[in-house]
Amino acid sequence: MLFLDKGGHAPSSSKENSLEGRLLPGTSTMNEADLLLFLQIAQQPSLSAVARASRLSVAVVSHRLAAFESRLGVRLFHRSTRKLALTEDGRAFLPHAEALVEAMTTARGALGSPDKPLSGVLRVTASASFGRMHLTSVLAAFLDRHPGLSVDLHLSDSVVDLLENRYELGIRISERLAPGLIARRLTPDRRFLCASPAYLERAGVPRHPDDLLRHECVVLHDQRDWRFRMPDGSVHTVKVGGRFRCNNGEATREAAVAGLGITLKSQWNCYMEIAARRLVPVLEEYPLEHDIAIWAVYPSARQLAPRVRAFIDFLATAWTKPPWEQGGAAREAQPKPVPSGGAPLTRAPAGTGDARPNPPGKGSRARTRAAG
């Protein structure tokens, strides 16, 4: 299919010396196992790593690769004692091999009975905070529908190699995904800046991204470069700083609630705090510049089990309108006065950059806008 023209015939003579042309005579000997092996080797640094993941000997993997290359009449990998690297032909063949395996998996899935009960162990990995807050409840509902299934859930803030650790599915929150993975976008990851009312009363409300340079910012990992979409369409980056940094998203949220500074959060992480006014968004006029989303990813070098496909579909349906958007921050957290033990907030005079508490007896109706 991929290597035939629209009429189902071999390519013209101009392609006879290309990999595409050489594949045609041998397509009958190019089976799915060959493609899976090729894709697995392309994702691993060495044949020994492939052998460990496949539970085969290095000699068997090497022999199978050599036999596949011999049937194709091309060399797919440069080999050295330390590593493998795709040849030019190998790089050209890679996307076609991925598409073929995916097409075969889809076709095979279409042959199965939709009424056949799901079974086996669903092995899933996800980030610790997101998994604890949102994935476990969805998994519980999925297991309730499929009593023949069990789940092995691995939660970690480190990116786990799905193939090496034999996970069938990963839930990733990312802008860029590792090559060699097939991904399905489940839902956007809306992000904004927020802080506690107590902090904003004490330090003032920033009116421009550059005002963050004068504020305490609570940072996740080393993510100090905060990028904003400016009114003129340009992107403006501010390198923030502060006295509190942590590698856990829930801890940075709680640090912001405790008044340690302004933090950058995902809506799914802090929607309850926004609704309860424990956190209030700031700088909403300057949206964050990113293309981060929540993805379901799985290794292209593995057959997609029916339980995995069913769970991906289940997630996509469940998160068409996820719980963190169901009437949460968008509607519940309407603008209200920032609670305080003293004076409410008001806007600072133009040019000062911050809003400050009014002096006693000089109340104001100015409000801090909540997420929307």
Side-chain angles (χ1 to χ4, degrees):
M1 293 178 292
L2 284 173
F3 302 114
L4 300 178
D5 62 23
K6 293 182 180 179
H9 305 293
S12 64
S13 58
S14 64
K15 292 188 177 181
E16 288 178 357
N17 293 321
S18 67
L19 170 64
E20 189 171 325
R22 288 193 292 271
L23 279 172
L24 288 166
T27 48
S28 62
T29 61
M30 184 174 62
N31 57 40
E32 186 177 8
D34 294 330
L35 293 170
L36 290 172
L37 177 69
F38 167 71
L39 293 176
Q40 195 169 8
I41 294 173
Q43 294 172 351
Q44 296 288 348
S46 65
L47 288 181
S48 60
V50 176
R52 286 193 301 271
S54 306
R55 299 182 180 180
L56 300 171
S57 70
V58 175
V60 169
V61 172
S62 179
H63 176 75
R64 286 179 55 187
L65 174 60
F68 185 39
E69 290 177 321
S70 177
R71 288 196 298 275
L72 295 179
V74 297
R75 194 172 183 83
L76 298 173
F77 294 94
H78 296 296
R79 297 166 177 79
S80 72
T81 56
R82 290 182 173 270
K83 64 178 182 179
L84 295 170
L86 285 165
T87 63
E88 184 177 349
D89 280 333
R91 286 193 299 271
F93 183 47
L94 180 61
H96 299 296
E98 290 177 330
L100 277 170
V101 170
E102 176 68 6
M104 284 187 281
T105 301
T106 301
R108 191 164 40 246
L111 297 175
S113 169
D115 299 324
K116 183 179 180 180
L118 298 179
S119 61
V121 180
L122 178 65
R123 291 176 49 79
V124 185
T125 180
S127 72
S129 295
F130 185 81
R132 188 193 66 79
M133 293 181 66
H134 299 292
L135 189 57
T136 51
S137 59
V138 180
L139 279 167
F142 187 67
L143 287 176
D144 189 54
R145 288 192 179 189
H146 303 285
L149 273 179
S150 58
V151 167
D152 182 357
L153 175 63
H154 176 269
L155 298 181
S156 173
D157 287 326
S158 299
V159 177
V160 176
D161 188 308
L162 301 182
L163 195 63
E164 183 175 343
N165 293 279
R166 300 201 300 277
Y167 286 107
E168 296 177 301
L169 182 68
I171 305 302
R172 299 272 169 86
I173 302 173
S174 179
E175 193 166 18
R176 287 177 290 274
L177 297 170
L181 293 177
I182 295 177
R184 178 172 174 180
R185 185 183 174 110
L186 297 173
T187 187
D189 180 26
R190 179 174 179 262
R191 298 186 170 196
F192 47 80
L193 304 187
C194 54
S196 71
Y199 173 82
L200 296 174
E201 287 192 16
R202 182 174 73 251
V205 180
R207 301 179 64 186
H208 187 277
D210 286 338
D211 294 341
L212 295 171
L213 298 173
R214 298 190 292 275
H215 278 267
E216 286 287 326
C217 293
V218 176
V219 177
L220 178 66
H221 297 290
D222 292 317
Q223 298 171 11
R224 296 179 56 208
D225 292 330
W226 294 358
R227 301 167 65 233
F228 299 87
R229 176 64 63 180
M230 305 303 285
D232 63 0
S234 64
V235 176
H236 181 59
T237 302
V238 178
K239 185 176 288 294
V240 302
R243 294 183 298 157
F244 189 91
R245 184 178 65 185
C246 184
N247 67 340
N248 180 269
E250 291 176 281
T252 56
R253 181 193 66 216
E254 294 307 308
V257 170
L260 292 185
I262 299 171
T263 192
L264 189 161
K265 301 307 300 175
S266 294
Q267 185 179 18
W268 62 259
N269 183 276
C270 66
Y271 70 107
M272 290 185 290
E273 285 71 22
I274 294 292
R277 313 296 193 280
R278 291 191 293 272
L279 291 173
V280 291
V282 297
L283 291 176
E284 292 185 276
E285 298 84 357
Y286 301 93
L288 292 166
E289 174 67 16
H290 72 87
D291 191 27
I292 298 173
I294 301 172
W295 303 83
V297 300
Y298 57 94
S300 60
R302 284 189 175 180
Q303 176 180 337
L304 191 62
R307 60 180 173 269
V308 180
R309 186 175 298 280
F311 184 57
I312 294 174
D313 291 340
F314 189 80
L315 284 175
T317 300
W319 291 342
T320 299
K321 187 171 184 182
W324 54 90
E325 292 182 358
Q326 291 182 11
R331 291 200 300 269
E332 295 176 60
Q334 293 299 318
K336 289 192 177 181
V338 177
S340 70
L345 292 177
T346 186
R347 291 287 186 186
T352 62
D354 291 331
R356 302 290 181 186
N358 276 334
K362 301 279 188 179
S364 170
R365 298 184 62 189
R367 298 174 179 180
T368 302
R369 293 181 61 209

